[in-house]
Amino acid sequence: MTRGEDAVLHAFVEGRRMALFRSACLLCGNRDEAEDLVQTTLVKVVLGARRHGRLDNLEAYARKTLVNTFISGRRRFWRREHAYGEVPDVAERSVDSDTGLMVRAALAELAPKQRAVLVLRYWEDLSVAATAELLGMRESTVKSHTARGLAALRAAVREEHA
Protein backbone atom coordinates (compact mmCIF):
# COMPACT_ATOMS: atom_id res chain seq x y z
CA MET A 1 0.00 0.00 0.00
CA THR A 2 1.40 3.38 -0.96
CA ARG A 3 1.69 6.41 1.24
CA GLY A 4 -1.06 8.13 -0.73
CA GLU A 5 -3.46 5.22 -0.21
CA ASP A 6 -2.71 5.26 3.52
CA ALA A 7 -3.50 8.98 3.56
CA VAL A 8 -6.82 8.30 1.81
CA LEU A 9 -7.69 5.65 4.41
CA HIS A 10 -6.69 7.93 7.27
CA ALA A 11 -8.78 10.79 5.88
CA PHE A 12 -11.74 8.46 5.41
CA VAL A 13 -11.56 7.16 8.99
CA GLU A 14 -11.26 10.70 10.38
CA GLY A 15 -14.06 12.05 8.21
CA ARG A 16 -16.62 9.26 8.53
CA ARG A 17 -16.09 7.88 12.03
CA MET A 18 -18.75 10.09 13.64
CA ALA A 19 -21.32 9.39 10.94
CA LEU A 20 -20.73 5.66 11.36
CA PHE A 21 -20.97 6.11 15.13
CA ARG A 22 -24.36 7.81 14.87
CA SER A 23 -25.68 4.96 12.71
CA ALA A 24 -24.16 2.42 15.09
CA CYS A 25 -25.87 4.11 18.06
CA LEU A 26 -29.21 3.68 16.36
CA LEU A 27 -28.45 0.07 15.49
CA CYS A 28 -27.13 -0.91 18.92
CA GLY A 29 -29.10 1.41 21.18
CA ASN A 30 -26.04 1.67 23.41
CA ARG A 31 -23.11 4.10 23.07
CA ASP A 32 -20.49 1.68 24.37
CA GLU A 33 -21.60 -1.12 22.07
CA ALA A 34 -21.78 1.37 19.19
CA GLU A 35 -18.18 2.45 19.82
CA ASP A 36 -17.09 -1.18 19.73
CA LEU A 37 -19.07 -1.75 16.54
CA VAL A 38 -17.51 1.26 14.81
CA GLN A 39 -14.03 0.27 15.93
CA THR A 40 -14.49 -3.27 14.60
CA THR A 41 -15.97 -1.93 11.37
CA LEU A 42 -13.13 0.51 10.75
CA VAL A 43 -10.52 -2.17 11.40
CA LYS A 44 -12.25 -4.44 8.89
CA VAL A 45 -12.51 -1.60 6.34
CA VAL A 46 -8.85 -0.64 6.63
CA LEU A 47 -7.64 -4.24 6.50
CA GLY A 48 -9.97 -5.01 3.59
CA ALA A 49 -8.84 -1.95 1.64
CA ARG A 50 -5.20 -2.80 2.22
CA ARG A 51 -5.71 -6.45 1.31
CA HIS A 52 -7.65 -5.76 -1.88
CA GLY A 53 -5.97 -2.47 -2.75
CA ARG A 54 -9.29 -0.91 -3.75
CA LEU A 55 -10.26 2.49 -2.44
CA ASP A 56 -12.94 3.33 -4.99
CA ASN A 57 -16.04 3.11 -2.76
CA LEU A 58 -15.02 3.08 0.89
CA GLU A 59 -18.28 4.69 2.01
CA ALA A 60 -20.47 1.85 0.74
CA TYR A 61 -17.99 -0.77 1.93
CA ALA A 62 -17.90 0.77 5.42
CA ARG A 63 -21.69 1.02 5.66
CA LYS A 64 -22.15 -2.58 4.55
CA THR A 65 -19.44 -3.77 6.93
CA LEU A 66 -21.09 -1.87 9.81
CA VAL A 67 -24.49 -3.44 9.19
CA ASN A 68 -23.12 -6.94 8.57
CA THR A 69 -20.97 -6.79 11.70
CA PHE A 70 -23.99 -5.64 13.73
CA ILE A 71 -26.23 -8.41 12.39
CA SER A 72 -23.62 -11.13 12.81
CA GLY A 73 -22.97 -9.95 16.36
CA ARG A 74 -26.66 -10.31 17.15
CA ARG A 75 -26.67 -13.85 15.83
CA ARG A 76 -23.90 -14.83 18.19
CA PHE A 77 -25.62 -13.64 21.34
CA TRP A 78 -23.74 -16.08 23.55
CA ARG A 79 -20.41 -14.46 22.62
CA ARG A 80 -21.32 -10.92 23.57
CA GLU A 81 -19.74 -9.41 26.61
CA HIS A 82 -21.85 -8.93 29.69
CA ALA A 83 -20.67 -6.05 31.82
CA TYR A 84 -21.47 -6.20 35.49
CA GLY A 85 -20.04 -2.94 36.75
CA GLU A 86 -21.22 -0.89 39.65
CA VAL A 87 -24.28 1.25 39.15
CA PRO A 88 -23.51 4.97 39.56
CA ASP A 89 -25.11 6.79 42.48
CA VAL A 90 -26.46 9.55 40.25
CA ALA A 91 -27.98 9.02 36.84
CA GLU A 92 -26.25 10.75 33.96
CA ARG A 93 -28.14 13.80 32.83
CA SER A 94 -29.65 13.20 29.44
CA VAL A 95 -29.73 15.86 26.75
CA ASP A 96 -31.99 13.75 24.55
CA SER A 97 -35.68 14.44 24.24
CA ASP A 98 -38.31 12.06 25.55
CA THR A 99 -39.40 11.27 22.02
CA GLY A 100 -35.87 10.38 20.97
CA LEU A 101 -35.50 8.09 23.95
CA MET A 102 -38.84 6.47 23.23
CA VAL A 103 -37.95 5.86 19.57
CA ARG A 104 -34.55 4.43 20.48
CA ALA A 105 -36.13 2.10 23.03
CA ALA A 106 -38.68 0.94 20.48
CA LEU A 107 -35.93 0.54 17.87
CA ALA A 108 -33.97 -1.65 20.29
CA GLU A 109 -36.91 -4.05 20.49
CA LEU A 110 -36.91 -4.75 16.74
CA ALA A 111 -35.17 -7.69 15.12
CA PRO A 112 -31.65 -6.79 13.94
CA LYS A 113 -32.47 -6.87 10.22
CA GLN A 114 -35.59 -4.74 10.68
CA ARG A 115 -33.56 -2.27 12.71
CA ALA A 116 -30.82 -2.24 10.06
CA VAL A 117 -33.37 -1.60 7.31
CA LEU A 118 -34.98 1.28 9.20
CA VAL A 119 -31.64 2.88 10.07
CA LEU A 120 -30.42 2.62 6.49
CA ARG A 121 -33.68 3.84 4.98
CA TYR A 122 -34.52 6.69 7.36
CA TRP A 123 -31.27 7.67 9.07
CA GLU A 124 -28.81 7.04 6.23
CA ASP A 125 -31.52 8.12 3.73
CA LEU A 126 -30.85 5.24 1.33
CA SER A 127 -33.34 4.17 -1.30
CA VAL A 128 -35.07 0.80 -1.21
CA ALA A 129 -32.81 -0.43 -4.01
CA ALA A 130 -29.61 0.77 -2.30
CA THR A 131 -30.69 -0.77 1.02
CA ALA A 132 -31.52 -4.07 -0.68
CA GLU A 133 -28.16 -4.13 -2.43
CA LEU A 134 -26.29 -3.25 0.75
CA LEU A 135 -28.01 -5.94 2.82
CA GLY A 136 -28.04 -8.53 0.05
CA MET A 137 -31.80 -8.98 0.02
CA ARG A 138 -34.61 -8.39 -2.44
CA GLU A 139 -36.35 -5.04 -2.59
CA SER A 140 -39.61 -6.67 -1.57
CA THR A 141 -37.92 -7.96 1.59
CA VAL A 142 -36.66 -4.46 2.39
CA LYS A 143 -40.18 -3.11 1.91
CA SER A 144 -41.72 -5.75 4.17
CA HIS A 145 -39.05 -5.22 6.88
CA THR A 146 -39.70 -1.47 6.61
CA ALA A 147 -43.47 -1.86 6.92
CA ARG A 148 -43.27 -4.28 9.84
CA GLY A 149 -40.61 -2.24 11.61
CA LEU A 150 -42.55 1.00 11.26
CA ALA A 151 -45.72 -0.71 12.48
CA ALA A 152 -43.87 -1.98 15.54
CA LEU A 153 -42.43 1.49 16.21
CA ARG A 154 -45.86 3.11 15.88
CA ALA A 155 -47.37 0.54 18.24
CA ALA A 156 -44.62 1.15 20.79
CA VAL A 157 -45.11 4.92 20.61
CA ARG A 158 -48.88 4.57 20.94
CA GLU A 159 -48.41 2.23 23.89
CA GLU A 160 -46.04 4.71 25.55
CA HIS A 161 -48.52 7.58 25.14
CA ALA A 162 -51.50 5.54 26.36
Side-chain angles (χ1 to χ4, degrees):
M1 184 145 253
T2 67
R3 184 171 263 209
E5 291 171 332
D6 274 344
V8 169
L9 281 173
H10 183 8
F12 174 79
V13 168
E14 288 294 317
R16 294 300 298 158
R17 188 180 61 79
M18 285 309 296
L20 289 170
F21 176 70
R22 287 189 296 269
S23 294
C25 280
L26 289 172
L27 287 169
C28 298
N30 174 320
R31 290 182 62 88
D32 295 329
E33 192 177 340
E35 288 173 2
D36 291 343
L37 177 61
V38 170
Q39 184 68 29
T40 302
T41 297
L42 290 175
V43 166
K44 288 179 179 182
V45 167
V46 169
L47 292 176
R50 286 182 175 168
R51 182 175 41 247
H52 301 297
R54 295 185 59 204
L55 302 173
D56 53 346
N57 199 351
L58 282 176
E59 178 68 31
Y61 182 63
R63 194 179 294 128
K64 183 168 186 150
T65 302
L66 179 82
V67 171
N68 287 344
T69 303
F70 166 73
I71 290 171
S72 70
R74 295 297 178 189
R75 285 189 193 126
R76 289 183 249 129
F77 62 91
W78 60 90
R79 291 188 183 178
R80 278 188 273 158
E81 295 178 15
H82 297 284
Y84 296 103
E86 293 184 26
V87 179
D89 292 338
V90 179
E92 184 177 315
R93 188 177 152 147
S94 177
V95 296
D96 209 0
S97 69
D98 291 340
T99 304
L101 291 172
M102 185 182 354
V103 169
R104 284 191 189 93
L107 201 56
E109 297 298 318
L110 297 178
K113 284 190 179 181
Q114 278 183 347
R115 193 176 332 162
V117 166
L118 291 180
V119 168
L120 291 172
R121 290 279 291 121
Y122 297 105
W123 180 257
E124 294 284 337
D125 200 27
L126 295 181
S127 67
V128 172
T131 302
E133 182 180 334
L134 187 70
L135 294 175
M137 55 179 64
R138 295 186 315 217
E139 288 185 28
S140 60
T141 305
V142 170
K143 290 176 185 178
S144 67
H145 278 319
T146 301
R148 289 184 184 123
L150 287 175
L153 287 178
R154 285 184 188 112
V157 169
R158 263 188 250 117
E159 190 176 290
E160 185 72 26
H161 283 298

